[in-house]
Amino acid sequence: MKVTRNDIEEYLRHCERESRLSRHTVRAYRIDLGQLLEWLRRKGDTELDEAAIKGYLAHLNAKYAASSAKRKIASARAFAAYLSHERKTASPFAGARIGIREPQRLPRTIALGDLARILEPSTEPQVVKSALSRFLGLRDQAILEVLIATGVRVSELCLLDVEDCDMRGRQARISGKGSKERIVQLESEDTLRALGAYLGAREEWAARRPGALPEGARGAVFLNRFGGRMSEQAVRAVVSRRARRAGVAAHVTPHMFRHTFATMLLEDDVNLRYIQSLLGHSSVKTTERYTHVAHAKQREVLRRHNPRDAVRAAKI
């Protein structure tokens, strides 16, 4: 199966219009498939067959971490499946054996004490704050509260619209991966209070900027200082800044809030299927990785508080 740049662009348009994949997924596909085409061109033949797949897999394993190689092969497989369907031919992946063993990595969580300090609202005197500073302070607090109370992905947080938030019903509609929607409950009083205060300030702030909000941001919950919808990078900056101000030495990311949310639920004996639903995982296998974190916590507890050690200490 010959591969051209036009084939890739046609496939990406299909992903956007027919499959309705997110722009982040389409962007990742564009990068991965562009690298595949470049590799094929360097070897002097743009034919994608089983031999080429084996060679490309060896190239990926030599150059990238297992997780990256796995994603790039998955992108190539999906692209080949599309081409084979369009051309009524067999996919070159049909007989290929793909063996990428990704090492087990435990999700990184935030220590409870560190999390409490990060979530502590600013104690700076309100009188010295400008309207913009107050707005941004309330926004940042709401971001942190929503992250830990719902376990949403940073991309889902940025896509959240005002109409998705039902404050009276104490819930929010989340647009997840693959255009899948789910409802998350907002049952924490701290979270409801922080989000409610921010939404009120947001409404006042937006009212003072008539017509200034960009078209794509008018319904967005979380706005930047210029009135645009917040980017994922901006949310990461908020989390990092609050962690530094709280004196937390570890590098904290928005996704660590998601890991912490899931791990704390699991440690509190919440059924794995419920956690899967809350996180929006398509497969429970993805959720099961949090059991490794829970087991690690159990080991630490028994290492520090093992009854047998206590018996031995009593004899001394």
Side-chain angles (χ1 to χ4, degrees):
M1 143 184 320
K2 289 285 185 182
V3 175
T4 67
R5 174 61 65 180
N6 286 340
D7 291 331
I8 293 176
E9 292 303 323
E10 182 181 324
Y11 171 64
L12 294 175
R13 286 193 292 270
H14 169 80
C15 289
E16 289 177 328
R17 297 171 184 173
E18 303 299 326
S19 300
R20 301 183 66 83
L21 298 182
S22 71
R23 59 187 177 89
H24 303 288
T25 300
V26 173
R27 183 175 60 189
Y29 278 177
R30 175 171 277 110
I31 293 171
D32 293 345
L33 297 177
Q35 290 172 347
L36 170 63
L37 180 59
E38 180 61 27
W39 181 84
L40 289 171
R41 284 174 173 170
R42 281 203 305 270
K43 76 180 185 66
D45 186 4
T46 59
E47 181 74 23
L48 183 62
D49 53 19
E50 190 172 338
I53 290 169
K54 289 180 180 179
Y56 188 56
L57 180 58
H59 163 73
L60 293 177
N61 281 330
K63 187 174 181 180
Y64 296 97
S67 57
S68 297
K70 188 175 181 180
R71 192 200 76 201
K72 291 177 187 299
I73 280 293
S75 298
R77 187 195 294 273
F79 174 56
Y82 168 80
L83 287 184
S84 65
H85 180 268
E86 291 295 306
R87 299 176 182 179
K88 304 295 188 294
T89 60
S91 169
F93 279 87
R97 296 184 63 182
I98 308 298
I100 300 177
R101 186 169 296 224
E102 190 170 356
Q104 180 68 50
R105 294 180 182 175
L106 294 182
R108 293 176 59 228
T109 60
I110 309 171
L112 202 56
D114 289 345
L115 185 58
R117 293 200 300 276
I118 292 171
L119 291 174
E120 187 67 28
S122 172
T123 56
E124 296 176 16
Q126 297 295 314
V127 291
V128 301
K129 287 192 174 184
S130 65
L132 176 61
S133 295
R134 179 177 178 276
F135 165 77
L136 295 178
L138 291 173
R139 182 204 65 185
D140 293 355
Q141 186 66 30
I143 285 173
L144 297 170
E145 290 286 354
V146 171
L147 285 173
I148 193 57
T150 65
V152 295
R153 302 175 179 92
V154 63
S155 58
E156 296 169 342
L157 182 90
C158 293
L159 289 174
L160 194 63
D161 284 337
V162 174
E163 65 178 15
D164 295 326
C165 299
D166 180 3
M167 299 299 288
R168 184 170 298 177
R170 302 165 74 100
Q171 63 183 27
R173 183 174 64 248
I174 304 299
S175 299
K177 287 186 175 180
S179 300
K180 293 180 181 177
E181 291 188 351
R182 68 184 187 278
I183 300 296
V184 297
Q185 282 67 41
L186 302 171
E187 290 299 333
S188 165
E189 295 298 335
D190 290 323
T191 303
L192 285 167
R193 189 161 44 248
L195 184 57
Y198 165 67
L199 288 175
R202 178 202 178 283
E203 186 175 349
E204 294 176 8
W205 187 71
R208 289 197 293 268
R209 302 165 60 93
L213 296 184
E215 183 68 30
R218 289 175 188 170
V221 169
F222 295 109
L223 302 173
N224 59 33
R225 64 174 59 239
F226 305 108
R229 185 184 293 269
M230 282 193 78
S231 67
E232 295 179 25
Q233 189 58 37
V235 174
R236 293 188 185 97
V238 167
V239 170
S240 181
R241 183 167 60 248
R242 282 291 291 263
R244 286 198 307 272
R245 288 180 181 175
V248 177
H251 176 60
V252 180
T253 68
H255 215 65
M256 289 171 67
F257 280 75
R258 181 171 168 85
H259 293 329
T260 304
F261 169 84
T263 303
M264 291 179 71
L265 290 178
L266 191 62
E267 289 175 351
D268 214 22
D269 295 326
V270 176
N271 187 285
L272 200 63
R273 291 288 183 181
Y274 290 144
I275 300 176
Q276 175 194 358
S277 176
L278 290 168
L279 294 178
H281 286 159
S282 298
S283 170
V284 74
K285 287 186 177 296
T286 307
T287 318
E288 283 175 348
R289 62 180 174 159
Y290 294 106
T291 61
H292 296 285
V293 182
H295 291 158
K297 180 68 177 291
Q298 291 172 9
R299 282 195 296 271
E300 180 63 22
V301 168
L302 289 178
R303 188 178 298 119
R304 291 172 177 267
H305 309 285
N306 196 291
R308 183 63 186 87
D309 293 339
V311 172
R312 174 162 44 82
K315 292 174 61 177
I316 299 176

